[in-house]
mmCIF file of all heavy atoms in Angstrom:
data_model
loop_
_atom_site.group_PDB
_atom_site.id
_atom_site.type_symbol
_atom_site.label_atom_id
_atom_site.label_comp_id
_atom_site.label_asym_id
_atom_site.label_seq_id
_atom_site.Cartn_x
_atom_site.Cartn_y
_atom_site.Cartn_z
ATOM 1 N N GLY C 1 -13.805 4.072 -15.213
ATOM 2 C CA GLY C 1 -14.719 3.798 -16.318
ATOM 3 C C GLY C 1 -14.152 4.120 -17.681
ATOM 4 O O GLY C 1 -14.904 4.500 -18.591
ATOM 5 N N GLY C 2 -12.852 3.951 -17.859
ATOM 6 C CA GLY C 2 -12.215 4.202 -19.144
ATOM 7 C C GLY C 2 -11.698 5.608 -19.326
ATOM 8 O O GLY C 2 -11.176 5.949 -20.400
ATOM 9 N N ALA C 3 -11.796 6.446 -18.305
ATOM 10 C CA ALA C 3 -11.317 7.824 -18.414
ATOM 11 C C ALA C 3 -9.795 7.890 -18.541
ATOM 12 O O ALA C 3 -9.253 8.832 -19.129
ATOM 13 C CB ALA C 3 -11.776 8.645 -17.213
ATOM 14 N N HIS C 4 -9.105 6.915 -17.980
ATOM 15 C CA HIS C 4 -7.643 6.846 -18.096
ATOM 16 C C HIS C 4 -7.226 5.379 -17.978
ATOM 17 O O HIS C 4 -8.020 4.524 -17.537
ATOM 18 C CB HIS C 4 -6.972 7.704 -17.023
ATOM 19 C CG HIS C 4 -7.338 7.338 -15.619
ATOM 20 N ND1 HIS C 4 -6.841 6.229 -14.980
ATOM 21 C CD2 HIS C 4 -8.173 7.932 -14.728
ATOM 22 C CE1 HIS C 4 -7.335 6.161 -13.757
ATOM 23 N NE2 HIS C 4 -8.156 7.172 -13.585
ATOM 24 N N PRO C 5 -5.993 5.044 -18.341
ATOM 25 C CA PRO C 5 -5.541 3.662 -18.227
ATOM 26 C C PRO C 5 -5.532 3.211 -16.767
ATOM 27 O O PRO C 5 -5.369 4.028 -15.852
ATOM 28 C CB PRO C 5 -4.124 3.691 -18.804
ATOM 29 C CG PRO C 5 -4.084 4.917 -19.649
ATOM 30 C CD PRO C 5 -4.989 5.906 -18.987
ATOM 31 N N PRO C 6 -5.700 1.927 -16.521
ATOM 32 C CA PRO C 6 -5.609 1.425 -15.146
ATOM 33 C C PRO C 6 -4.257 1.749 -14.516
ATOM 34 O O PRO C 6 -3.236 1.852 -15.205
ATOM 35 C CB PRO C 6 -5.802 -0.087 -15.313
ATOM 36 C CG PRO C 6 -6.542 -0.242 -16.594
ATOM 37 C CD PRO C 6 -6.043 0.866 -17.484
ATOM 38 N N ILE C 7 -4.278 1.926 -13.216
ATOM 39 C CA ILE C 7 -3.061 2.212 -12.445
ATOM 40 C C ILE C 7 -2.620 0.910 -11.792
ATOM 41 O O ILE C 7 -3.368 0.307 -11.014
ATOM 42 C CB ILE C 7 -3.336 3.308 -11.400
ATOM 43 C CG1 ILE C 7 -3.742 4.606 -12.115
ATOM 44 C CG2 ILE C 7 -2.110 3.538 -10.521
ATOM 45 C CD1 ILE C 7 -4.285 5.671 -11.178
ATOM 46 N N ARG C 8 -1.402 0.478 -12.094
ATOM 47 C CA ARG C 8 -0.960 -0.860 -11.704
ATOM 48 C C ARG C 8 -0.028 -0.902 -10.496
ATOM 49 O O ARG C 8 0.234 -1.976 -9.972
ATOM 50 C CB ARG C 8 -0.230 -1.526 -12.884
ATOM 51 C CG ARG C 8 -1.007 -1.547 -14.200
ATOM 52 C CD ARG C 8 -2.225 -2.422 -14.111
ATOM 53 N NE ARG C 8 -2.843 -2.629 -15.440
ATOM 54 C CZ ARG C 8 -4.010 -3.219 -15.626
ATOM 55 N NH1 ARG C 8 -4.689 -3.672 -14.583
ATOM 56 N NH2 ARG C 8 -4.485 -3.363 -16.849
ATOM 57 N N ASN C 9 0.464 0.232 -10.062
ATOM 58 C CA ASN C 9 1.520 0.243 -9.045
ATOM 59 C C ASN C 9 0.997 0.539 -7.643
ATOM 60 O O ASN C 9 1.643 1.230 -6.844
ATOM 61 C CB ASN C 9 2.613 1.248 -9.417
ATOM 62 C CG ASN C 9 2.080 2.659 -9.655
ATOM 63 O OD1 ASN C 9 0.969 2.840 -10.127
ATOM 64 N ND2 ASN C 9 2.881 3.662 -9.312
ATOM 65 N N VAL C 10 -0.194 0.007 -7.322
ATOM 66 C CA VAL C 10 -0.804 0.204 -6.007
ATOM 67 C C VAL C 10 -1.239 -1.145 -5.449
ATOM 68 O O VAL C 10 -1.771 -1.992 -6.169
ATOM 69 C CB VAL C 10 -2.033 1.143 -6.094
ATOM 70 C CG1 VAL C 10 -2.709 1.260 -4.727
ATOM 71 C CG2 VAL C 10 -1.636 2.524 -6.596
ATOM 72 N N ARG C 11 -1.030 -1.314 -4.149
ATOM 73 C CA ARG C 11 -1.528 -2.472 -3.422
ATOM 74 C C ARG C 11 -2.371 -1.950 -2.254
ATOM 75 O O ARG C 11 -2.036 -0.932 -1.637
ATOM 76 C CB ARG C 11 -0.396 -3.353 -2.909
ATOM 77 C CG ARG C 11 0.484 -3.924 -4.022
ATOM 78 C CD ARG C 11 -0.273 -4.893 -4.898
ATOM 79 N NE ARG C 11 0.554 -5.442 -5.972
ATOM 80 C CZ ARG C 11 0.611 -4.948 -7.200
ATOM 81 N NH1 ARG C 11 -0.114 -3.883 -7.520
ATOM 82 N NH2 ARG C 11 1.379 -5.499 -8.114
ATOM 83 N N ILE C 12 -3.448 -2.658 -1.939
ATOM 84 C CA ILE C 12 -4.424 -2.171 -0.964
ATOM 85 C C ILE C 12 -4.597 -3.173 0.168
ATOM 86 O O ILE C 12 -4.649 -4.385 -0.050
ATOM 87 C CB ILE C 12 -5.778 -1.905 -1.645
ATOM 88 C CG1 ILE C 12 -5.697 -0.622 -2.486
ATOM 89 C CG2 ILE C 12 -6.908 -1.771 -0.624
ATOM 90 C CD1 ILE C 12 -6.981 -0.267 -3.193
ATOM 91 N N HIS C 13 -4.715 -2.606 1.375
ATOM 92 C CA HIS C 13 -5.097 -3.392 2.544
ATOM 93 C C HIS C 13 -6.422 -2.855 3.054
ATOM 94 O O HIS C 13 -6.512 -1.691 3.451
ATOM 95 C CB HIS C 13 -4.039 -3.295 3.643
ATOM 96 C CG HIS C 13 -4.425 -3.983 4.913
ATOM 97 N ND1 HIS C 13 -4.596 -5.349 5.001
ATOM 98 C CD2 HIS C 13 -4.693 -3.485 6.154
ATOM 99 C CE1 HIS C 13 -4.945 -5.673 6.231
ATOM 100 N NE2 HIS C 13 -5.020 -4.567 6.947
ATOM 101 N N HIS C 14 -7.452 -3.698 3.036
ATOM 102 C CA HIS C 14 -8.749 -3.313 3.588
ATOM 103 C C HIS C 14 -8.736 -3.686 5.064
ATOM 104 O O HIS C 14 -9.030 -4.824 5.440
ATOM 105 C CB HIS C 14 -9.875 -4.045 2.835
ATOM 106 C CG HIS C 14 -11.225 -3.810 3.430
ATOM 107 N ND1 HIS C 14 -12.225 -4.752 3.411
ATOM 108 C CD2 HIS C 14 -11.739 -2.732 4.084
ATOM 109 C CE1 HIS C 14 -13.296 -4.270 4.022
ATOM 110 N NE2 HIS C 14 -13.020 -3.044 4.443
ATOM 111 N N GLY C 15 -8.348 -2.734 5.888
ATOM 112 C CA GLY C 15 -8.256 -2.998 7.321
ATOM 113 C C GLY C 15 -7.344 -2.002 8.002
ATOM 114 O O GLY C 15 -7.146 -0.879 7.523
ATOM 115 N N ASP C 16 -6.787 -2.401 9.119
ATOM 116 C CA ASP C 16 -5.983 -1.553 9.980
ATOM 117 C C ASP C 16 -4.605 -1.312 9.364
ATOM 118 O O ASP C 16 -3.856 -2.257 9.099
ATOM 119 C CB ASP C 16 -5.851 -2.227 11.352
ATOM 120 C CG ASP C 16 -5.151 -1.359 12.380
ATOM 121 O OD1 ASP C 16 -4.656 -0.271 12.028
ATOM 122 O OD2 ASP C 16 -5.086 -1.785 13.551
ATOM 123 N N ALA C 17 -4.259 -0.046 9.164
ATOM 124 C CA ALA C 17 -2.967 0.296 8.577
ATOM 125 C C ALA C 17 -1.804 -0.192 9.416
ATOM 126 O O ALA C 17 -0.757 -0.590 8.882
ATOM 127 C CB ALA C 17 -2.877 1.808 8.385
ATOM 128 N N LEU C 18 -1.953 -0.156 10.732
ATOM 129 C CA LEU C 18 -0.834 -0.530 11.602
ATOM 130 C C LEU C 18 -0.474 -1.999 11.457
ATOM 131 O O LEU C 18 0.686 -2.376 11.657
ATOM 132 C CB LEU C 18 -1.165 -0.207 13.059
ATOM 133 C CG LEU C 18 -1.336 1.283 13.386
ATOM 134 C CD1 LEU C 18 -1.693 1.462 14.854
ATOM 135 C CD2 LEU C 18 -0.081 2.072 13.039
ATOM 136 N N GLU C 19 -1.439 -2.839 11.101
ATOM 137 C CA GLU C 19 -1.138 -4.253 10.886
ATOM 138 C C GLU C 19 -0.111 -4.421 9.769
ATOM 139 O O GLU C 19 0.796 -5.261 9.861
ATOM 140 C CB GLU C 19 -2.413 -5.023 10.531
ATOM 141 C CG GLU C 19 -3.448 -5.093 11.641
ATOM 142 C CD GLU C 19 -4.708 -5.813 11.191
ATOM 143 O OE1 GLU C 19 -4.766 -6.260 10.017
ATOM 144 O OE2 GLU C 19 -5.649 -5.925 12.008
ATOM 145 N N VAL C 20 -0.269 -3.649 8.708
ATOM 146 C CA VAL C 20 0.654 -3.729 7.579
ATOM 147 C C VAL C 20 1.939 -2.973 7.881
ATOM 148 O O VAL C 20 3.044 -3.445 7.578
ATOM 149 C CB VAL C 20 -0.014 -3.178 6.311
ATOM 150 C CG1 VAL C 20 0.974 -3.122 5.153
ATOM 151 C CG2 VAL C 20 -1.209 -4.046 5.930
ATOM 152 N N LEU C 21 1.816 -1.800 8.483
ATOM 153 C CA LEU C 21 2.998 -0.974 8.733
ATOM 154 C C LEU C 21 4.017 -1.714 9.594
ATOM 155 O O LEU C 21 5.231 -1.613 9.367
ATOM 156 C CB LEU C 21 2.563 0.333 9.414
ATOM 157 C CG LEU C 21 3.603 1.448 9.479
ATOM 158 C CD1 LEU C 21 4.075 1.842 8.085
ATOM 159 C CD2 LEU C 21 3.037 2.657 10.204
ATOM 160 N N ARG C 22 3.541 -2.475 10.555
ATOM 161 C CA ARG C 22 4.465 -3.225 11.412
ATOM 162 C C ARG C 22 5.257 -4.274 10.624
ATOM 163 O O ARG C 22 6.352 -4.655 11.030
ATOM 164 C CB ARG C 22 3.694 -3.904 12.546
ATOM 165 C CG ARG C 22 3.126 -2.955 13.590
ATOM 166 C CD ARG C 22 2.545 -3.740 14.761
ATOM 167 N NE ARG C 22 2.050 -2.874 15.821
ATOM 168 C CZ ARG C 22 0.763 -2.562 16.008
ATOM 169 N NH1 ARG C 22 -0.167 -3.057 15.183
ATOM 170 N NH2 ARG C 22 0.394 -1.758 16.988
ATOM 171 N N ARG C 23 4.715 -4.745 9.517
ATOM 172 C CA ARG C 23 5.361 -5.792 8.730
ATOM 173 C C ARG C 23 6.309 -5.243 7.665
ATOM 174 O O ARG C 23 6.974 -6.004 6.968
ATOM 175 C CB ARG C 23 4.296 -6.671 8.077
ATOM 176 C CG ARG C 23 3.510 -7.501 9.083
ATOM 177 C CD ARG C 23 2.200 -8.013 8.504
ATOM 178 N NE ARG C 23 2.395 -8.657 7.213
ATOM 179 C CZ ARG C 23 1.478 -8.737 6.255
ATOM 180 N NH1 ARG C 23 0.282 -8.187 6.440
ATOM 181 N NH2 ARG C 23 1.745 -9.353 5.129
ATOM 182 N N ILE C 24 6.346 -3.931 7.520
ATOM 183 C CA ILE C 24 7.288 -3.306 6.593
ATOM 184 C C ILE C 24 8.651 -3.222 7.282
ATOM 185 O O ILE C 24 8.746 -2.723 8.407
ATOM 186 C CB ILE C 24 6.802 -1.913 6.186
ATOM 187 C CG1 ILE C 24 5.483 -2.015 5.400
ATOM 188 C CG2 ILE C 24 7.852 -1.187 5.363
ATOM 189 C CD1 ILE C 24 4.868 -0.676 5.057
ATOM 190 N N PRO C 25 9.709 -3.708 6.666
ATOM 191 C CA PRO C 25 11.031 -3.614 7.298
ATOM 192 C C PRO C 25 11.404 -2.165 7.605
ATOM 193 O O PRO C 25 11.061 -1.250 6.852
ATOM 194 C CB PRO C 25 11.967 -4.228 6.251
ATOM 195 C CG PRO C 25 11.092 -5.142 5.449
ATOM 196 C CD PRO C 25 9.756 -4.454 5.390
ATOM 197 N N ASP C 26 12.090 -1.974 8.715
ATOM 198 C CA ASP C 26 12.512 -0.631 9.098
ATOM 199 C C ASP C 26 13.345 0.009 7.985
ATOM 200 O O ASP C 26 14.143 -0.661 7.309
ATOM 201 C CB ASP C 26 13.329 -0.674 10.387
ATOM 202 C CG ASP C 26 12.478 -0.979 11.608
ATOM 203 O OD1 ASP C 26 11.244 -1.070 11.463
ATOM 204 O OD2 ASP C 26 13.053 -1.139 12.706
ATOM 205 N N GLY C 27 13.153 1.301 7.814
ATOM 206 C CA GLY C 27 13.943 2.050 6.840
ATOM 207 C C GLY C 27 13.571 1.786 5.398
ATOM 208 O O GLY C 27 14.376 2.061 4.502
ATOM 209 N N SER C 28 12.349 1.312 5.137
ATOM 210 C CA SER C 28 11.967 0.919 3.780
ATOM 211 C C SER C 28 11.152 1.966 3.030
ATOM 212 O O SER C 28 11.109 1.950 1.797
ATOM 213 C CB SER C 28 11.161 -0.381 3.816
ATOM 214 O OG SER C 28 11.944 -1.456 4.276
ATOM 215 N N LEU C 29 10.457 2.836 3.732
ATOM 216 C CA LEU C 29 9.529 3.752 3.080
ATOM 217 C C LEU C 29 10.206 5.047 2.641
ATOM 218 O O LEU C 29 10.989 5.645 3.379
ATOM 219 C CB LEU C 29 8.366 4.104 4.013
ATOM 220 C CG LEU C 29 7.417 2.966 4.394
ATOM 221 C CD1 LEU C 29 6.358 3.473 5.367
ATOM 222 C CD2 LEU C 29 6.760 2.367 3.153
ATOM 223 N N SER C 30 9.845 5.492 1.438
ATOM 224 C CA SER C 30 10.296 6.793 0.960
ATOM 225 C C SER C 30 9.319 7.893 1.345
ATOM 226 O O SER C 30 9.721 9.028 1.601
ATOM 227 C CB SER C 30 10.456 6.771 -0.570
ATOM 228 O OG SER C 30 11.502 5.907 -0.951
ATOM 229 N N PHE C 31 8.022 7.564 1.368
ATOM 230 C CA PHE C 31 6.989 8.516 1.759
ATOM 231 C C PHE C 31 5.952 7.810 2.617
ATOM 232 O O PHE C 31 5.619 6.638 2.376
ATOM 233 C CB PHE C 31 6.266 9.103 0.531
ATOM 234 C CG PHE C 31 7.030 10.152 -0.213
ATOM 235 C CD1 PHE C 31 7.965 9.791 -1.172
ATOM 236 C CD2 PHE C 31 6.815 11.503 0.025
ATOM 237 C CE1 PHE C 31 8.666 10.755 -1.876
ATOM 238 C CE2 PHE C 31 7.513 12.473 -0.673
ATOM 239 C CZ PHE C 31 8.442 12.104 -1.627
#
């Protein structure tokens, strides 16, 4: 509600995390 600037570096999946995690290439995540 204007308390801080919008955060632009996030993408969201509304659903099962494993569906997305399986599509991430191996060795790609830092955290």
Side-chain angles (χ1 to χ4, degrees):
H4 58 75
I7 298 169
R8 307 293 190 189
N9 55 327
V10 176
R11 299 294 180 265
I12 286 180
H13 175 65
H14 174 212
D16 186 354
L18 295 179
E19 294 177 0
V20 174
L21 193 59
R22 290 188 177 100
R23 292 162 50 207
I24 296 175
D26 288 355
S28 295
L29 294 178
S30 294
F31 283 84

